[in-house]
Amino acid sequence: MRKILSSMIIFSALSTAAYSRGAVPYIFHLPTAETYGKRILLFDVGHRYFDPVKHYTNVNISAGYGIIDSLDIDIGFSFKNNDLVYSLKYTPLRDDTDQNGALSVSIMAGGGYKVDTEKLIPDSDQPSFFTGLIMQRHFFKNRMSIGLVPLFAWNTNFYEIESSYDFSLGLGSFVEVYFVDRFSVCAEVAMNFYGFAFKYMNYNVGFKYAGYRHTFSLWISNSSGYSPVEYLAGSTTLEPRVSFAATREFDL
């Protein structure tokens, strides 16, 4: 924890002369309506501190690319569930860049494939699919935003738990407030309304630092998942754990 905080403070001091490009494509789990921008490549590394013995099992590595200003493509691998995830996000409406815009709206869809070299998961549970709608509203010259994310995920019950459902339907909501130019405080929840679910909904609360071409996130959460297929199904615990993520942006 001290190493993470020290790194964020040092980077903040070194980058005070530069301002962020402003792309925040997700809060912690939930996607926002913002996109990378045309020909922007973004690398992302996330970590969930749920396993004190095997830290590497909670790491996610992903890359995203802005095909056009309103269309992103992403691919990543989550080591916890050996999940290869890909997704598309299209944002036809923006209220943060369009002065006449009343709302930012995005459509997202994607899928995953759980690599299982030990043959512990049935073949039918390895592929997955998810889709959702992102509705976001910005206030106070983009210093605050709120959002709703209705989500559907198929093959959420890959845990071999006795259930009548193999899909999850729910709603995510988030709020982000920039209290200075680069630092924001954020919170989000993802609630399952129908289908397969664990006992508790997922929550995330923490901070973001948006430096020039970098974003650092530090938060507490009761979820160790990355894909909507994982976090929409909820959690077996309410106990908070520390999570961390960092991104690096490149022009191509």
Side-chain angles (χ1 to χ4, degrees):
M1 173 65 72
R2 285 178 294 181
K3 291 182 179 179
I4 293 174
L5 291 174
S6 299
S7 298
M8 293 178 68
I9 293 171
I10 292 171
F11 189 86
S12 176
L14 293 175
S15 61
T16 53
Y19 190 73
S20 162
R21 293 175 65 94
V24 184
Y26 64 88
I27 302 296
F28 301 122
H29 282 156
L30 296 174
T32 69
E34 298 182 32
T35 52
Y36 305 136
K38 183 179 179 180
R39 298 180 63 183
I40 298 295
L41 177 67
L42 188 122
F43 286 106
D44 188 304
V45 177
H47 203 132
R48 310 288 196 260
Y49 291 87
F50 269 71
D51 190 337
V53 179
K54 298 179 180 180
H55 292 298
Y56 65 88
T57 61
N58 291 276
V59 173
N60 182 79
I61 299 174
S62 65
Y65 182 70
I67 300 174
I68 57 177
D69 285 339
S70 58
L71 179 63
D72 293 342
I73 185 171
D74 291 87
I75 186 169
F77 187 79
S78 173
F79 289 85
K80 176 178 172 57
N81 286 318
N82 289 329
D83 200 8
L84 178 66
V85 180
Y86 53 91
S87 64
L88 284 168
K89 182 171 69 176
Y90 174 60
T91 303
L93 300 176
R94 294 281 293 266
D95 73 322
D96 57 331
T97 58
D98 183 359
Q99 293 183 351
N100 297 319
L103 191 70
S104 293
V105 177
S106 296
I107 303 168
M108 61 165 289
Y113 184 82
K114 297 189 181 300
V115 180
D116 183 22
T117 57
E118 298 181 2
K119 302 299 181 182
L120 299 176
I121 303 175
D123 292 344
S124 60
D125 286 341
Q126 289 183 264
S128 60
F129 170 79
F130 56 87
T131 186
L133 181 69
I134 307 162
M135 297 171 288
Q136 186 175 3
R137 183 72 172 93
H138 292 80
F139 305 92
F140 311 119
K141 297 182 179 180
N142 300 335
R143 299 191 74 89
M144 175 182 176
S145 71
I146 58 175
L148 292 176
V149 187
L151 286 167
F152 171 83
W154 170 75
N155 243 353
T156 50
N157 185 14
F158 58 89
Y159 306 93
E160 297 188 22
I161 295 174
E162 187 68 27
S163 174
S164 301
Y165 305 101
D166 199 19
F167 65 89
S168 298
L169 179 65
L171 177 70
S173 61
F174 64 82
V175 59
E176 181 178 34
V177 179
Y178 279 87
F179 52 91
V180 294
D181 285 344
R182 296 180 179 86
F183 283 94
S184 65
V185 59
C186 311
E188 66 177 27
V189 294
M191 300 167 285
N192 184 296
F193 289 150
Y194 190 74
F196 176 78
F198 290 111
K199 185 175 181 180
Y200 302 107
M201 68 179 183
N202 280 327
Y203 68 85
N204 301 278
V205 181
F207 300 91
K208 278 183 176 288
Y209 169 74
Y212 180 66
R213 296 185 180 275
H214 292 79
T215 300
F216 295 96
S217 304
L218 180 65
W219 71 98
I220 57 172
S221 171
N222 70 329
S223 171
S224 59
Y226 290 90
S227 166
V229 173
E230 297 170 5
Y231 64 72
L232 187 58
S235 177
T236 58
T237 179
L238 280 175
E239 181 182 357
R241 303 293 179 90
V242 176
S243 299
F244 173 73
T247 68
R248 178 62 166 96
E249 187 179 289
F250 299 90
D251 289 314
L252 295 184

